[in-house]
Every structure is written in C-alpha cells, then in structure tokens.
C-alpha cells in the first residue's frame, strides 16, 4: 500500500497507478460474526463500539466487471456503523448472507467479518471491464446506494428497487478501510476545493437530506417554508438546515446545548431551540405522552417564526414523533428517515387526519439525487460539517462519540491520508467559498 500511497500523494497519473501491483490484503475496520452476541444482556447505551470494531488486514476480494477498487484516503462515521458495531437492531451478517445468495459476485460478501463504512473519498485504482466512465487516477467520492442494475424494479427510482442496499452496511468491503470495492455507479467527482477528509464526510448524510428536502421524492422546501429540523447540528441536520436556507426557507433548528445553538447561529440559522434547556418531557412515562408538552413545544416554535412548521425533518423517532406530528402545520409534511430513539412510533392520529397532514418515509437517495447533492458540495453551495478527525486505528473511539451524541456535524476518519488538509486541488474556489465557512464546525469543536 505504501507504494500506492506515495504515487497518489505525488499526483501520479492513471497509467502509473494502474501499473502498480495491488496488495493481497489491506487494512480495514470490521466486526466479526463470532462476536455478534458479545453484548447480549447489555443496555444499548453501554454497548461499546471500541470492543466490537477491529482494525486489521483482510484479503482483497476479486473485482466484479462493474466495480472499481478505490484507494480510500478518508471516510467518515455514520450512524449505521454505530448500529453495525452494537449489533442493533440486528447483526448485519444476515444482510451479507442474503447478498451472498445472489450469484457468484454476491457470494464474496458472505464472510465471517464485515468491513464497514458507507462514505469515502479517494482515488480509483482499477476498474472492471464493464466500467466506462471512470479510470485509474480519478479522484472520487462514493455514495452508498448499492443497486443491481439488472433488477427491473431498480429502473424507476433505484431507491425503490427490491434489491436496494446500503454499501458498507448491507454489503461488505465498505469505506472504513485503505481500499474499498464499489460499483461504478456509486462514484462521483471529488469536490476539488476540499481536503480528503472534508470530501469524505458528505455523501451519505448530504444525499439523504437532499432527497428529503429538495427532491420531488421527498418534501421539497419552497421559499418562505418554515422547516423544523431535529438534531440540526448533527450529521443529517447540518445539511438539512443548509438546504432550507438555500431554498429561501426558514429553518427552526432543535439542538441540545448552548454551544450547538451558537454553531447554528454562525451557520446562519436564526431560530434555534435548545431542547435540553427547554426541558421538554414529551413522554410522562414509558407508555404515556403529554399533549401539554407538545403544545408548549409548538408555542416555542411559533414564538420564533410566527407559525407552525410546513415541514418537519424527522429522524429521532419514538421520543419526538408525537411532538412532530402535533407541531406540523395543517396540511404539512413530516418527512422521516430514521428512528434513533426507537422505531415503534406513537402519535395522536387525530392531529394527522383532522389536519390533513402527511407522514412521508424517505431513505438515502438514488444516483441522480446523490450526484446533484454532490454537485452542490463541489460548487461550494453546501458546506462540509466536519467537526473532528480520527485515524482509522481509532475508529472505535470515533464511533463511540457518535453513539453517545458527543459530536457535532460529521466525524471524519483518515484512512490512507497521512494527515489532515491534503488533497485540495482548487485553492481559488476554496478562498471564494471562504476558509472560515468551510472549517466552521472544526473550529467550533476545537
Ligand atoms: P447524528 O449525527 O448522531 O445526529 C442526530 C442528532 O439527533 C443528534 O445530534 C441529536 O441532536 C438528535 N437526537 C438524538 N436523539 C434525540 C432525541 N431523543 N430527541 C431529539 N433529538 C435527538 O446522526 P445522523 O447522522 O444525523 O443520523 C440520525 C439518524 O438517521 C440515525 O438513526 C441514522 O441511522 C439515520 N440515518 C438514516 C438515513 C437513511 O437513509 N434512512 C441516512 C442517514 C442517517 P441534539 O442532541 O443536538 O438535539
């Protein structure tokens, strides 16, 4: 790998990279099948990713004709890596086994280790014989929609495909590694004004927020819309508020500390609620919600922006869904992509049907949506919310930070990149976008 890394850093051309021998094994972060019950009987919050995420050598799998090997310079922690590492709600080996039954190339994935990670920035090393649009030497980011293009159900909106998967979560050979194996239709150009780690963190959360708030497949924001964004300085939320601002809407961010309130103000979000300071108790006990608390929350939103939100950007799930459905305006939309605090949801259906509201499910993004979201990053119109960077060897610690909500924005992970700040090819655009804006989350965390 050191020869490959030296060549990448020296800016070697595609032919030179293509001529370098590939290693038989590579360094990767993985969980092990024989440890899938290691946390049995342990409370969710006490399940420790530092114990389950290992970093070590794994064999390089063969490349399918529609795939590429990518030398991963940097990756990021997504919540799905937390789920994999605590084996919740299910161990991800079941996903790998199912993929393993889909032909010879699928069979490579059903292993006793799962290389995790659903984001990457890096350089293409090799392409399979069917790959037309990419070549060794191309600088790329990787989105995580893993689609079988021979599946007819993938040919309207690929997120509707029966075989749709998330790479590095429901497939093997993910991005938290020195080499990733990806389908060519996961590749996108790397934003030239960003460093490897700034470029690596965006694809998963940015594309998800794009589909939810920009695409016609979600609940697109129009100018003047008020949009309630839970976790507004977190992975998804920090992109969501940028999309609302870009669309001429008014985000109402919900966060849980004064530092996060300040961060959002610096990002241009004026209306922010500190949910911890407000002390909302939407649940009186495990089984009973409190409408008076929903009402207090709704009043707080109105006092900030003068009306109920047109759209609610939901992902905390059980703890907040009742309040989200209540607070959303008549005929408004609650768009949801997750349930971090619990997936068995309860809300008062009277508030939904009597006020003609809609709950809209959303999940990641199709290639076009991911591509368009990436283009906005490339143009400097969406900023990378990178707040901290860890070396791959400390991937367990990085995942623990996300597990316990100790981070802001996104955490980057250096894989082959020997340090931070490398890989910036367009300093002029960087200066135009503004160093201060690009590094806002990093400076806040410091
Ligand atoms: P994240 O970086 O941890 O941010 C989530 C934020 O939600 C936290 O910063 C926290 O903000 C807030 N939050 C957590 N628990 C809460 C609760 N009980 N009540 C209110 N707010 C709460 O995670 P993320 O990357 O944004 O992902 C969030 C969820 O979406 C995860 O479950 C993830 O798996 C899922 N996800 C799904 C997709 C998809 O395609 N379906 C894509 C990306 C992520 P404060 O503490 O500041 O309020």
């Amino acid at each position: 790998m050191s020869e490959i890394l030296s060549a990448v850093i020296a800016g070697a051309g595609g032919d030179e990279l293509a001529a370098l021998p590939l290693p038989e094994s590579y360094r990767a972060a993985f969980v092990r099948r024989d440890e899938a019950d290691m946390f049995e009987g342990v409370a969710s919050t006490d399940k420790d990713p530092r114990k389950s995420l290992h970093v070590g050598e794994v064999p390089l799998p063969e490349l399918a004709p529609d795939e590429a090997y990518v030398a991963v310079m940097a990756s990021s922690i997504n919540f799905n890596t937390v789920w994999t590492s605590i084996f919740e709600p299910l161990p991800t080996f079941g996903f790998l086994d199912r993929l393993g039954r889909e032909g010879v190339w699928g069979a490579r994935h059903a292993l006793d280790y799962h290389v995790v990670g659903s984001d990457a920035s890096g350089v293409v090393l090799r392409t399979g014989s069917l790959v037309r649009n990419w070549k060794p030497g191309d600088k790329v980011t990787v989105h995580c929609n893993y689609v079988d293009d021979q599946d007819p159900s993938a040919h309207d909106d690929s997120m509707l495909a029966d075989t749709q998967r998330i790479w590095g979560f429901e497939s093997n050979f993910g991005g938290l590694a020195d080499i990733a194996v990806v389908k060519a239709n996961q590749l996108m150009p790397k934003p030239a004004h960003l460093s490897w780690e700034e470029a690596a963190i965006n694809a998963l959360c940015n594309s998800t927020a794009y589909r939810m708030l920009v695409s016609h497949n979600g609940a697109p924001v129009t100018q003047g819309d008020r949009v309630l964004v839970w976790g507004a300085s977190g992975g998804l939320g920090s992109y969501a508020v940028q999309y609302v601002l870009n669309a001429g809407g008014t985000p109402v961010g919900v966060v849980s500390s004064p530092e996060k309130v300040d961060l959002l103000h610096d990002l241009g979000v004026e209306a922010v609620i500190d949910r911890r300071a407000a002390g909302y108790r939407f649940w009186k006990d495990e089984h009973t919600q409190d409408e008076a608390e929903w009402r207090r929350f709704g009043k707080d939103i109105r006092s900030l922006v003068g009306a109920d939100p047109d759209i609610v950007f939901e992902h905390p799930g059980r703890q907040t869904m009742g309040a989200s459905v209540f607070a959303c305006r008549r005929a408004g939309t609650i768009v949801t992509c997750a349930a971090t605090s619990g997936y068995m949801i309860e809300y008062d259906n009277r508030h939904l049907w009597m006020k003609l509201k809609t709950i809209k499910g959303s999940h990641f993004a199709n290639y076009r949506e991911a591509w368009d979201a990436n283009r906005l990053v490339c143009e400097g119109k969406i900023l990378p919310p990178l707040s901290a960077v860890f070396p791959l060897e400390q991937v367990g610690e990085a995942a623990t930070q996300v597990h316990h909500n100790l981070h802001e924005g996104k955490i980057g992970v250096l894989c082959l990149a020997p340090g931070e700040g490398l890989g910036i090819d367009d300093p002029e655009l960087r200066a135009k976008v503004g160093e201060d804006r690009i590094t806002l989350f990093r400076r806040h965390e410091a």
Side-chain angles (χ1 to χ4, degrees), residues 193-320:
H193 65 299
L194 299 183
S195 66
W196 294 113
E197 62 280 7
E198 289 163 350
I201 57 168
N202 306 299
L204 190 148
C205 281
N206 182 37
S207 310
T208 305
Y210 180 96
R211 182 174 172 111
M212 291 171 79
L213 293 179
V214 184
S215 169
H216 63 88
N217 288 315
V221 182
T222 54
Q223 53 187 308
D225 280 350
R226 287 113 171 162
V227 184
L228 179 72
V229 178
W230 289 104
S233 69
L236 287 171
S238 55
Y239 296 99
V241 293
Q242 294 188 66
Y243 280 118
V244 178
L245 290 169
N246 287 0
T250 304
V252 183
V254 184
V255 291
S256 62
S257 72
E259 292 76 24
K260 290 179 176 181
V261 174
D262 287 347
L263 172 59
L264 283 183
H265 285 159
D266 288 349
L267 192 60
V269 181
E270 286 174 18
V272 186
I273 293 175
D274 179 343
R275 66 181 169 100
R276 192 159 294 162
Y280 303 119
R281 294 202 50 193
F282 299 138
W283 289 81
K284 287 183 194 163
D285 58 49
E286 216 182 306
H287 307 287
T288 328
Q289 298 200 56
D290 187 345
E291 185 165 331
E293 284 292 273
W294 296 347
R295 204 168 290 282
R296 181 162 77 89
F297 178 56
K299 262 192 190 162
D300 289 348
I301 298 168
R302 281 185 190 181
S303 74
L304 284 170
V305 294
D308 297 332
D310 302 88
I311 299 169
V312 179
F313 185 87
E314 240 297 333
H315 51 89
R318 182 168 174 82
Q319 287 296 325
T320 55

